[in-house]
Amino acid sequence: QVRLVESGGELVQAGGSLRLSCAASGGAFSDYVMGWFRQAPGKEREFVAVITWSGSSTDYADSVVGRFTISRDNAKSTLYLQMDSLKPEDTAVYYCAASPMLTHYSRQYAFWGQGTQVTVSS
């Protein structure tokens, strides 16, 4: 069983930056595509970003393009999300997830973290 634990979420002012981390254990980290998803109150969980097995390719939701950067360190079994130019609309619980295949769909991710709260004030 793969265990994922997010950290780094906090209250930040609009225009500020945060770096989220996701620590993995219990499996071969490099065997998984890793994704970030988020869920705001009253909204469905949405795709944010994904990174392939070796980190050679990434993709982002239109709402975060140019502001967020996903990365991974396979030697440390850790996934990151650098968030810059944050907006109040970015307020949500952020989840990391692992999938054996490259996908944007949450249903295809087998393992999930508990989430970390990001709150952006105006």
Side-chain angles (χ1 to χ4, degrees), residues 7-18:
S7 62
E10 61 182 59
L11 175 65
V12 63
Q13 292 184 342
S17 297
L18 284 175

Side-chain angles (χ1 to χ4, degrees), residues 37-81:
F37 295 79
R38 66 187 183 186
Q39 187 167 25
K43 299 183 67 177
E44 295 183 356
R45 186 170 298 186
E46 66 175 347
F47 166 79
V48 176
V50 64
I51 187 166
T52 55
W53 300 266
S54 65
S56 61
S57 184
T58 60
D59 197 22
Y60 300 89
D62 289 345
S63 59
V64 307
V65 166
R67 301 189 299 119
F68 290 11
T69 303
I70 188 171
S71 62
R72 65 191 295 165
D73 186 338
N74 285 352
K76 296 181 178 180
S77 296
T78 303
L79 175 74
Y80 303 98
L81 185 67

